[in-house]
Amino acid sequence: METNDASFRAVFIYSKGYKRQLLMSWKDIETLSKFIKNTIKQEVTIINTNLGLDIYYVSPVDMKAFICKSFLLLHAIKGHKETDFNIISLASHQEIKQYLYHAYLHWTKMPLLLKSYLKSFVIQLNRDYLHNITINSLLFSVWYANLKQIRTRIGGQLDRKGIILMDTLQELYLDQNYNPLEKSFIKEALHESHHN
């Protein structure tokens, strides 16, 4: 599936005030994901963490209003309204890249929160990878580019969690897109000892 910069979009939904609990159960996430995917007839990836929901989708039109209404429908039973949440909508690959770059820099000041988010992100991305290859490849490229940019910005040093995330994303991407022989050649070529 071909995608251009403007068709990769995201909606982030966070509780007002950090709470150490998921906004939705895994069963509700599955329902929401299927509903959105069946309606827009495109790939949808939902990352459910203690920070909130990251909903990534591919669409030529902005689906923020539809996604928010779908989310709130599932939350109406609990008596929640839209004003109970912070909602951020991003309309392009570049906006997503910038947002996640600044979010990562912010989260590095909260290492336990970052660790929890990254662990959940990678597990869900891996589990969902084959159903949403386009989105998950785009997410991989966004995170990988951001972490390389952060590495350059801070003089070549990433903290341990950043290195683990880069390695995990690289491993995930290679596992899903290359056979073992190709993967070993690529990993060898990417190894830092081969860089000037």
Side-chain angles (χ1 to χ4, degrees):
M1 176 175 150
E2 292 292 316
T3 185
N4 61 39
D5 184 61
S7 67
F8 181 40
R9 301 171 187 270
V11 175
F12 298 92
I13 303 173
Y14 305 113
S15 276
K16 289 189 174 171
Y18 173 64
K19 297 175 181 152
R20 290 181 178 268
Q21 62 189 35
L22 298 173
L23 281 182
M24 299 181 85
S25 71
W26 295 108
K27 185 179 175 190
D28 287 345
I29 289 295
E30 201 172 294
T31 301
L32 180 64
S33 180
K34 283 180 184 171
F35 180 67
I36 295 170
K37 190 180 280 196
N38 289 338
T39 303
I40 69 172
K41 306 287 188 229
Q42 299 285 350
E43 290 186 10
V44 175
T45 292
I46 300 179
I47 305 295
N48 186 22
T49 70
N50 286 348
L51 293 175
L53 296 181
D54 301 356
I55 303 169
Y56 300 95
Y57 64 102
V58 174
S59 175
V61 295
D62 184 354
M63 300 299 293
K64 176 194 173 193
F66 168 75
I67 289 170
C68 289
K69 282 182 176 42
S70 302
F71 165 79
L72 290 167
L73 242 143
L74 289 169
H75 257 275
I77 298 164
K78 299 175 186 175
H80 293 141
K81 306 178 295 284
E82 189 170 349
T83 54
D84 295 330
F85 303 98
N86 291 320
I87 299 171
I88 299 162
S89 179
L90 304 172
S92 72
H93 187 275
Q94 188 58 34
E95 285 183 25
I96 293 168
K97 183 175 181 271
Q98 283 299 109
Y99 178 80
L100 290 175
Y101 175 79
H102 292 293
Y104 183 82
L105 287 179
H106 177 69
W107 295 336
T108 56
K109 298 170 189 155
M110 299 174 274
L112 292 176
L113 187 64
L114 176 62
K115 182 179 179 183
S116 170
Y117 175 83
L118 294 179
K119 181 179 176 186
S120 187
F121 178 85
V122 170
I123 288 168
Q124 291 175 69
L125 197 62
N126 194 18
R127 185 189 64 216
D128 193 41
Y129 197 93
L130 292 175
H131 300 293
N132 298 302
I133 290 174
T134 301
I135 289 177
N136 296 336
S137 294
L138 288 165
L139 278 173
F140 167 81
S141 70
V142 163
W143 273 102
Y144 200 75
N146 280 345
L147 290 169
K148 280 176 63 176
Q149 186 178 349
I150 289 167
R151 176 181 269 177
T152 303
R153 176 181 168 169
I154 57 179
Q157 297 298 312
L158 269 183
D159 66 1
R160 192 174 62 78
K161 290 175 194 68
I163 291 167
I164 289 169
L165 177 62
M166 274 185 94
D167 290 346
T168 304
L169 290 173
Q170 180 179 322
E171 195 73 28
L172 171 61
Y173 183 77
L174 292 175
D175 280 349
Q176 301 297 336
N177 291 288
Y178 297 96
N179 69 44
L181 183 60
E182 291 171 324
K183 179 181 163 184
S184 69
F185 284 138
I186 292 167
K187 284 182 80 168
E188 183 63 27
L190 292 173
H191 195 275
E192 284 188 21
S193 64
H194 297 289
H195 298 185
N196 291 333

